[in-house]
Amino acid sequence: MDTRKKIVVLSGAGISAESGIPTFRASDGLWENHRIEDVATPDAWRRNRALVQDFYNQRRKQALQVQPNAGHYALVRLEEQYDVTIVTQNVDNLHEKAGSSTVVHLHGELFKARSTVDESLVYSMDGWELKEGDLCEKGSQLRPHIVWFGEAVPMMVMAMDIAAEADIFIVVGTSLNVYPAAGLVYGIRKGVPVYVVDPHTPSMRKTPEVTFIQEPATVGLTQLAGQLLSGVK
């Protein structure tokens, strides 16, 4: 039986940005020069499937060229003494590439594709390109395994259960403005210490349990991991 304390991490775009993956939404409201409505909704898929496929193909190509950063590796180090589960809003695989053992992707996974007729049929991708004519075993076109705007977040129930088990909760690289993911902080048990690592202060109520570390993930998580591994709370 695992007697280690459980750390639950909620990670967002900020940690990936330090590896060179642009944040989801730029200041002009565009994502890689595209309107969100044109590349990240079920309607976009119906209207212009070729554009959506190309958009995610380019995101995969981009993701293959980057590496995990010190923030990702700091979370891996925590597994030396803690039971660590990462719940991420990110669709890249940088947590896994760094070596984290348990990662739950709330918004899907960039390097997976799924059937358009059966959501349970999900396939891992070896490369970056998903093409028209790539079919599932039921003969239907494959789509990116991404939770688009307007779609349910199927992993949210599991994530809420995980958050409720946390002995320590870490928030990194997220503004806590994207729901339902941001709601995870309200499922933490009373008295559980919360560490918020971000250069900016996210929208979170200040309580005695919350410690704000106003640093980028590469710096803040490295510092925090050192403290937690040395027994400093």
Side-chain angles (χ1 to χ4, degrees):
M1 186 175 180
D2 195 340
T3 58
R4 296 174 300 170
K5 285 190 174 182
K6 185 173 185 65
I7 292 179
V8 178
V9 182
L10 173 61
S11 72
I15 190 171
S16 295
E18 291 189 72
S19 285
I21 295 180
T23 52
F24 166 72
R25 194 192 296 260
S27 58
D28 56 10
L30 300 178
W31 189 10
E32 293 290 298
N33 299 315
H34 291 281
R35 294 170 64 246
I36 303 302
E37 296 81 1
D38 293 335
V39 293
T41 67
D43 282 344
W45 176 255
R46 287 188 285 268
R47 284 195 313 267
N48 194 340
R49 196 153 78 185
L51 174 63
V52 175
Q53 289 281 43
D54 180 65
F55 178 81
Y56 285 99
N57 283 340
Q58 295 308 313
R59 303 289 72 71
R60 288 187 207 94
K61 199 172 187 180
Q62 184 183 63
L64 285 171
Q65 298 170 354
V66 302
Q67 297 299 322
N69 59 57
H72 296 102
Y73 288 116
L75 296 178
V76 177
R77 283 175 53 217
L78 287 172
E79 294 190 24
E80 296 171 9
Q81 295 182 21
Y82 295 90
D83 174 11
V84 181
T85 297
I86 298 171
V87 178
T88 185
Q89 295 170 261
N90 302 330
V91 297
D92 61 66
N93 61 353
L94 290 174
H95 285 300
E96 288 91 341
K97 285 174 75 172
S100 286
S101 301
T102 308
V103 184
V104 176
H105 287 267
L106 286 178
H107 296 155
E109 296 181 63
L110 194 55
F111 288 97
K112 289 185 179 180
R114 78 167 183 258
S115 168
T116 48
V117 296
D118 185 345
E119 291 187 359
S120 69
L121 296 177
V122 179
Y123 306 86
S124 295
M125 295 179 61
D126 293 326
W128 59 270
E129 191 172 20
L130 184 61
K131 296 177 291 195
E132 189 68 21
D134 289 341
L135 309 178
C136 74
E137 60 204 65
K138 293 185 177 180
S140 180
Q141 175 64 41
L142 292 174
R143 56 160 277 183
H145 184 48
I146 302 293
V147 177
W148 287 327
F149 284 93
E151 295 184 321
V153 183
M155 300 301 289
M156 194 62 201
V157 174
M158 176 190 291
M160 290 295 290
D161 289 342
I162 292 169
E165 297 174 352
D167 297 306
I168 299 170
F169 198 89
I170 300 172
V171 178
V172 57
T174 174
S175 63
L176 294 176
N177 287 327
V178 178
Y179 283 84
L184 287 179
V185 298
Y186 301 110
I188 305 167
R189 288 178 289 117
K190 187 175 181 180
V192 167
V194 178
Y195 298 91
V196 181
V197 181
D198 199 283
H200 312 288
T201 303
S203 306
M204 186 171 183
R205 186 163 54 91
K206 294 177 174 63
T207 67
E209 292 84 8
V210 180
T211 300
F212 291 95
I213 303 172
Q214 290 187 281
E215 298 283 359
T218 49
V219 176
L221 285 179
T222 300
Q223 293 175 352
L224 179 58
Q227 292 174 8
L228 294 175
L229 290 170
S230 66
V232 178
K233 299 296 188 292

